[in-house]
Amino acid sequence: MLNKIRDLVEKTKIELDKIIDLSDLNEIRVKIFGKTGELTNLSKGMRDVPVEDKPKIGAALNEARKSIEEKIKTIEEKFEAAILAKKLEKEKVDITQPSKGIEMGALHPISSVIDKLTDICVSMGFSVVEGPEVESDYYNFEAMNIPKNHPSRDMQDSFFIDENIVLRSQTSAVQAREMEVRKPPFKIVCPGKTYRNESDSTHSPIFHQFEGLVVDENVSMADLKSMLTIMMRRLFGQDTEIRFRPSFFPFTEPSIEVDVSCPNCHGKGCSTCKGTGMLELLGAGIVNPKVLEINGIDSKKYSGFAFGFGLDRTAMILNSISNIRYMYRNDIRFLKQMK
Ligand code: FA5
C-alpha cells in the first residue's frame, strides 16, 4: 500500500510538470481526488488494512494528498501569474505618447451676446435684473399702457395660459416690476426669454430680448440715441451701419426702431432681410409719462428712456447667421462654427 501511494505521488507530479493549460490541471485534480479518483480509491482501501498498520498508511495518505495539493497550487499560481502578465502587457499605457487633445465646446451665440451686452451695460452703470417668463397680463401689458382689448395688443401674438397669465411676450414686463420697487434715479437692464406665435427666418416662437430702462430727471431722446450708438458700435464695430426709424409703442412716446445692416447680404437685399438690406434689431423710446404714473413715478419730475434689443437677431448679425432656426436646432456642426 505504501508503495502504491508513493508511486501515485511520483506519477502525478510528473504529469503535473507536463501540463500546458489550466484545464489539464482540473482534469488531473478530478483523476486523483474525484469520487472514483486514484487517491480516493486508495483511501477506500484503508478498510482492508490491518489495524496496526492503519496509522502509518493513514498518515501516508494524508501526506500524499497534501503534497499533490501543494504541487497543484504552485502550478495554478504560476499559470495565473502568466495570464495576469499577459493582460498587463496588453493593457499597457504609454504615458510618454502625445495626448489626443480635448475637444473644447463654445458658448451658444445667444449666451455670448447676453454676456457681451451685459458687460457693455454694466460698464455704463446699469444694474442687471431678472423677471419671470410666465407673467401676469398686468405686468406684460396693462402696466405698460396696453389695456385689455386694446388694438395695440395685436402687435404681439401672445401665448396665453389663461385670461390673466401669459408667456412673457416682451422683457418690457420687468420695467413695471422695477418701477414699482425702485426710487429714481436708476438704470437697469434685463436679459431673458420671450415668447410669441411667430415663425420664419428672422422670427422664432421663443426668442430673447434685452431690456434697458433709465429713469432720472431731464432724460431726453438725445441721451437715448447717443447711448444706443455707443452700445451698438461697441457691439458690432465702429463702421456698422445703424438706422434710427420713427415707430410706435404704447409705452414710449416718441418711439423709435433701430436697424443694422443685414448679416447675410451686407445691405444688398436678400430673403433674410426681405430685400431691405437692413434687419430690425430693437425698439426704444422715451418712456410714456402714463407708464411712469401707472407705476407710481412722478412724471412731472422724472422722465426716462427704454430699449428692447432682440438678442437672436443681434447674434445673427454678429455671427453672419442667415436663419434664426439654426440657433435652436442643437446641431453640433453649427455650434462648432461658433468657436
Ligand atoms: C418690443 O418687444 C418692445 N418691448 C421693445 C421696446 C422696449 C420698445 C422698450 C420701447 C421701449 P418689438 O416687438 O419690436 O418691441 O421687439 C423688439 C425686438 O425683438 C425686435 O426688434 C426684434 O429684434 C426682436 N423680436 C421680436 N419678435 C421676435 C421674434 N418672434 N423672433 C426673434 N426676434 C424677435
Side-chain angles (χ1 to χ4, degrees):
M1 184 79 160
L2 280 176
N3 284 346
K4 278 189 188 168
I5 297 170
R6 198 181 50 240
D7 289 350
L8 177 63
V9 171
E10 269 172 28
K11 184 188 85 171
T12 308
K13 285 190 173 173
I14 291 169
E15 273 179 44
L16 282 170
D17 280 335
K18 285 189 198 151
I19 65 160
I20 49 167
D21 205 296
L22 261 182
S23 59
D24 298 341
L25 198 66
N26 281 335
E27 260 177 41
I28 292 179
R29 201 183 260 130
V30 173
K31 202 170 120 200
I32 305 298
F33 301 118
K35 256 190 185 165
T36 54
E38 293 177 45
L39 192 67
T40 317
N41 285 342
L42 282 179
S43 303
K44 282 177 193 161
M46 273 292 278
R47 50 180 174 245
D48 305 324
V49 172
V51 179
E52 63 276 16
D53 291 340
K54 273 191 198 280
K56 216 157 107 191
I57 304 290
L61 279 171
N62 282 342
E63 187 52 39
R65 169 177 290 276
K66 214 173 126 202
S67 85
I68 294 173
E69 273 176 352
E70 269 169 14
K71 178 89 180 165
I72 288 177
K73 197 167 166 242
T74 314
I75 293 175
E76 211 165 31
E77 280 169 3
K78 206 174 87 195
F79 272 106
E80 277 165 4
I83 291 169
L84 182 66
K86 217 167 164 183
K87 196 168 169 228
L88 288 177
E89 178 62 28
K90 220 165 112 190
E91 292 173 1
K92 197 161 84 179
V93 177
D94 181 357
I95 55 166
T96 63
Q97 288 266 326
S99 80
K100 286 182 188 156
I102 300 166
E103 240 194 274
M104 295 293 285
L107 267 187
H108 189 278
I110 294 173
S111 305
S112 162
V113 164
I114 291 177
D115 287 355
K116 281 184 184 145
L117 258 177
T118 305
D119 279 355
I120 292 172
C121 291
V122 166
S123 77
M124 291 171 148
F126 284 84
S127 306
V128 183
V129 299
E130 286 188 331
E133 288 171 34
V134 180
E135 185 55 284
S136 69
D137 183 276
Y138 175 79
Y139 287 115
N140 198 71
F141 292 119
E142 287 183 57
M144 298 310 293
N145 193 33
I146 312 175
K148 279 205 158 80
N149 304 319
H150 195 274
S152 63
R153 286 201 176 204
D154 293 346
M155 289 167 77
Q156 301 177 2
D157 194 350
S158 315
F159 294 112
F160 276 89
I161 291 183
D162 65 28
E163 212 185 314
N164 290 310
I165 307 286
V166 64
L167 290 185
R168 170 169 84 180
S169 63
Q170 51 180 352
T171 43
S172 297
V174 294
Q175 283 193 35
R177 286 183 173 273
E178 292 300 314
M179 282 189 233
E180 256 183 16
V181 295
R182 286 178 190 260
K183 292 262 163 290
F186 60 85
K187 288 159 92 175
I188 53 114
V189 284
C190 170
K193 289 192 184 73
T194 38
Y195 304 83
R196 288 183 204 174
N197 184 20
E198 298 169 338
S199 186
D200 63 26
S201 63
T202 55
H203 293 82
S204 165
I206 170 169
F207 60 106
H208 299 73
Q209 287 191 339
F210 190 90
E211 194 79 12
L213 173 66
V214 173
V215 180
D216 203 342
E217 290 178 34
N218 304 316
V219 173
S220 72
M221 194 62 154
D223 297 326
L224 170 63
K225 279 186 75 177
S226 67
M227 190 169 267
L228 283 178
T229 306
I230 293 168
M231 281 166 68
M232 308 277 265
R233 295 223 164 117
R234 282 178 65 180
L235 197 59
F236 298 114
Q238 293 301 318
D239 49 1
T240 308
E241 210 182 313
I242 304 166
R243 181 171 69 189
F244 293 95
R245 272 186 294 114
S247 185
F248 168 77
F249 297 103
F251 33 90
T252 46
E253 181 59 41
S255 304
I256 54 170
E257 274 178 319
V258 186
D259 309 328
V260 289
S261 35
C262 171
N264 204 32
C265 63
H266 305 285
K268 289 193 195 89
C270 66
S271 58
T272 301
C273 58
K274 299 182 181 82
T276 61
M278 305 293 281
L279 263 191
E280 177 205 314
L281 198 61
L282 66 118
I286 294 298
V287 180
N288 190 327
K290 258 190 178 170
V291 173
L292 293 177
E293 293 297 336
I294 293 173
N295 293 291
I297 292 176
D298 181 0
S299 65
K300 291 198 180 66
K301 185 166 180 204
Y302 295 106
S303 52
F305 68 69
F307 54 86
F309 269 85
L311 291 180
D312 306 64
R313 299 210 192 139
T314 311
M316 287 171 77
I317 291 163
L318 278 174
N319 298 285
S320 298
I321 298 166
S322 58
N323 195 314
I324 197 167
R325 293 187 190 99
Y326 294 148
M327 291 191 286
Y328 292 96
R329 281 194 187 142
N330 217 12
D331 184 335
I332 202 83
R333 291 166 304 174
F334 164 78
L335 293 171
K336 273 187 172 167
Q337 294 174 45
M338 297 301 123
K339 278 188 187 172

